[in-house]
């Protein structure tokens, strides 16, 4: 028997209001179209009880031509228009549903052991959940009108406190860049062009351009985004667009130049430190040095510059001693 919607008619004004609410939450126009499809109902991906199980999320994304399941799931949670079904420990999302097609388990017969049994979660209706919430921790149904995450609801957190904490965590710019770096497609689309631009503009090798990008992100972009109160209100896609537009502005280029200067300073310090350590390595004589990596002995001459010392030569006897390549011995000048 074909599944039937709980509501056959949808209010245009209520739908418009819902779309405007999504827009205020930072959901893009393209994401809104996908959410509307899910809200109005994609029955091929529903269970008999009107639930979208998580096992169907990948197929849903393919049908919508959406690349990332995480992005779609983030928008589903952010819009607060869908019911969410969690496991008993409230650690894993098992499914979600549109209130047009499912109202808790009110429309689910007791003998329906198919899809709901596969969700392996005891669910209750929103009304039952609200009544029992003060006395039980078994509520796993995320009410569509409740913007508090389930973990905050179990702790009795006042409305808004837990939501603000969750929002602050999700808004962390470091997490945003970590997500870009760990997603191969987004890394290729967003970060690799920045590396190419650095390599081309400053005539860097790719390894050095990558070093510059690391400094740019960690020391300049993350503090910049974390300091802007608008950043938490943007979706992941919105943040990507913001980043791309920023790097086209004068301020973005200024941050890039600072990152280049910072890397140059760090490399100069590293080179100076290496030279200092080389000059401290004098295992044969206090008047000569030895390259620990190559095993070459050498000393500095005011005329000839850096002079290599044969491996079997005796230790350099004085600071003014020079190596005579003909007699193969040290000659101390100035009568010393």
């Amino acid at each position: 028997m074909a599944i039937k919607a709980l509501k056959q008619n949808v209010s245009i004004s209520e739908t418009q209001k819902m779309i405007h609410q999504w827009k205020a939450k930072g959901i893009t126009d393209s994401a809104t179209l996908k959410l509307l499809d899910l809200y109005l109902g994609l029955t091929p991906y529903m269970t008999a009880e009107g639930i979208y199980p998580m096992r169907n999320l990948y197929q849903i994304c393919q049908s919508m031509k959406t690349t990332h399941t995480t992005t779609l799931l983030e928008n589903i949670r952010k819009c607060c228009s869908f019911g969410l079904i969690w496991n008993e420990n409230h650690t894993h999302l098992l499914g979600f549903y549109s209130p047009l097609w499912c109202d808790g388990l009110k429309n689910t017969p007791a003998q329906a052991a198919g899809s709901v049994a596969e969700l392996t979660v005891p669910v209750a209706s929103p009304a039952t959940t609200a009544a029992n919430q003060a006395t039980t921790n078994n509520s796993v149904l995320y009410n569509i009108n409740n913007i508090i995450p389930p973990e905050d609801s179990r702790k009795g957190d006042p409305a808004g406190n837990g939501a603000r904490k969750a929002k602050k965590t999700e808004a962390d710019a470091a997490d945003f860049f970590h997500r870009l770096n760990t997603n191969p497609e987004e890394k290729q689309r967003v970060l690799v062009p920045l590396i190419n631009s650095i390599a081309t503009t400053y005539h860097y090798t790719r390894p050095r351009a990558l070093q510059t990008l690391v400094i740019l992100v960690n020391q300049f972009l993350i503090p910049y985004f974390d300091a802007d109160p608008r950043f938490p209100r943007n979706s992941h896609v919105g943040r990507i667009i913001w980043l791309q537009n920023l790097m086209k502005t004068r301020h973005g280029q200024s941050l890039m130049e600072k990152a280049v200067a910072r890397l140059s300073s760090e490399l100069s310090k590293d080179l100076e430190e290496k030279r200092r350590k080389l000059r401290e390595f004098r295992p044969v004589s206090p008047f000569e040095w030895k390259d620990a990596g190559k095993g070459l002995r050498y000393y500095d001459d005011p005329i000839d510059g850096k002079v290599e010392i044969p491996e079997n030569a005796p230790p350099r006897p004085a600071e003014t001693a020079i190596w005579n390549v003909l007699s193969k011995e040290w000659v101390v000048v100035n009568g010393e």
Side-chain angles (χ1 to χ4, degrees), residues 156-264:
D157 198 14
N161 290 346
R164 282 192 293 270
K165 291 177 183 177
K167 187 174 184 180
K168 182 178 181 181
T169 301
E170 294 174 0
D172 188 3
D175 291 340
F176 164 65
F177 282 102
H178 176 72
R179 178 173 173 179
L180 286 181
N181 191 49
T182 54
N183 186 306
E185 295 181 2
E186 291 184 350
K187 181 178 181 179
Q188 186 69 29
R189 180 164 54 91
V190 181
L191 298 182
V192 171
L194 288 177
I195 298 174
N196 294 339
S197 176
I198 295 171
T200 302
T201 303
Y202 298 97
H203 306 288
Y204 283 175
T205 61
R206 289 193 66 81
R208 185 164 179 175
L210 178 58
Q211 285 181 287
T212 305
L213 180 64
V214 171
I215 292 178
L216 173 66
V217 170
N218 291 332
Q219 301 185 26
F220 296 98
L221 291 179
I222 289 179
Y224 171 80
F225 284 125
D226 278 340
D228 197 314
R230 297 172 298 172
F231 186 78
R233 298 196 291 267
N234 277 269
S235 65
H236 181 71
V237 176
R239 294 170 188 175
I240 291 177
I241 296 173
W242 189 353
L243 171 62
Q244 291 173 328
N245 289 337
L246 171 66
M247 298 314 300
K248 297 176 183 177
T249 65
R250 181 175 298 178
H251 182 64
Q253 291 304 309
S254 174
L255 295 179
M256 180 77 76
E257 291 171 1
K258 290 180 180 179
V260 170
R262 183 72 57 85
L263 176 63
S264 179

Side-chain angles (χ1 to χ4, degrees), residues 59-334:
Q59 287 79 9
I60 292 173
C61 287
Q62 283 198 322
S63 69
M64 292 181 170
K65 297 182 180 180
T66 298
T67 307
H68 307 298
T69 57
T70 53
T71 302
L72 179 61
L73 190 56
E74 179 184 358
N75 289 328
I76 290 171
R77 298 184 62 176
K78 183 186 294 184
C79 75
C80 299
S81 297
F82 292 84
L84 303 182
I85 301 176
W86 301 83
N87 66 345
E88 292 182 354
N89 296 326
H90 297 263
T91 56
H92 298 290
L93 187 63
L94 303 179
F96 61 95
Y97 61 88
S98 166
L100 300 181
W101 292 84
C102 180
D103 186 11
L105 290 187
K106 286 183 179 180
N107 63 327
T108 305
Q111 67 273 19
S115 56
V116 174
E118 292 172 6
L119 289 174
T120 63
V121 56
V123 266
S125 68
T128 305
T129 298
N132 297 336
Q133 196 167 18
T135 58
T136 180
N137 288 336
N138 292 328
S139 171
V140 293
L141 186 62
Y142 190 23
N143 192 303
I144 62 173
N145 296 318
N146 183 8
I147 62 171
I148 308 174
E151 54 268 28
D152 293 326
S153 299
R154 296 200 316 272
K155 297 175 183 177
D157 198 14
N161 290 346
R164 282 192 293 270
K165 291 177 183 177
K167 187 174 184 180
K168 182 178 181 181
T169 301
E170 294 174 0
D172 188 3
D175 291 340
F176 164 65
F177 282 102
H178 176 72
R179 178 173 173 179
L180 286 181
N181 191 49
T182 54
N183 186 306
E185 295 181 2
E186 291 184 350
K187 181 178 181 179
Q188 186 69 29
R189 180 164 54 91
V190 181
L191 298 182
V192 171
L194 288 177
I195 298 174
N196 294 339
S197 176
I198 295 171
T200 302
T201 303
Y202 298 97
H203 306 288
Y204 283 175
T205 61
R206 289 193 66 81
R208 185 164 179 175
L210 178 58
Q211 285 181 287
T212 305
L213 180 64
V214 171
I215 292 178
L216 173 66
V217 170
N218 291 332
Q219 301 185 26
F220 296 98
L221 291 179
I222 289 179
Y224 171 80
F225 284 125
D226 278 340
D228 197 314
R230 297 172 298 172
F231 186 78
R233 298 196 291 267
N234 277 269
S235 65
H236 181 71
V237 176
R239 294 170 188 175
I240 291 177
I241 296 173
W242 189 353
L243 171 62
Q244 291 173 328
N245 289 337
L246 171 66
M247 298 314 300
K248 297 176 183 177
T249 65
R250 181 175 298 178
H251 182 64
Q253 291 304 309
S254 174
L255 295 179
M256 180 77 76
E257 291 171 1
K258 290 180 180 179
V260 170
R262 183 72 57 85
L263 176 63
S264 179
S265 175
E266 291 182 1
L267 291 178
S268 296
K269 291 180 180 178
D270 290 343
L271 182 59
E272 186 64 29
E273 180 65 15
K274 289 179 180 179
R275 288 174 176 171
R276 185 186 65 80
K277 289 182 178 180
L278 284 175
R279 292 292 175 171
E280 290 179 350
F281 189 55
R282 307 173 184 227
V284 180
S285 165
F287 306 108
E288 63 180 80
W289 296 273
K290 185 175 183 179
D291 188 318
K294 298 180 180 179
L296 298 176
R297 297 166 57 193
Y298 63 93
Y299 67 93
D300 289 331
D301 185 86
I303 298 176
D304 297 328
K306 182 178 178 180
V307 179
E308 291 188 7
I309 304 172
E311 183 179 359
N312 58 352
R316 190 184 185 208
E319 188 175 359
T320 58
I322 61 175
W323 179 254
N324 189 316
V325 295
L326 298 178
S327 62
K328 297 182 179 180
E329 60 182 0
W330 291 107
V331 177
V332 181
V333 299
N334 297 331

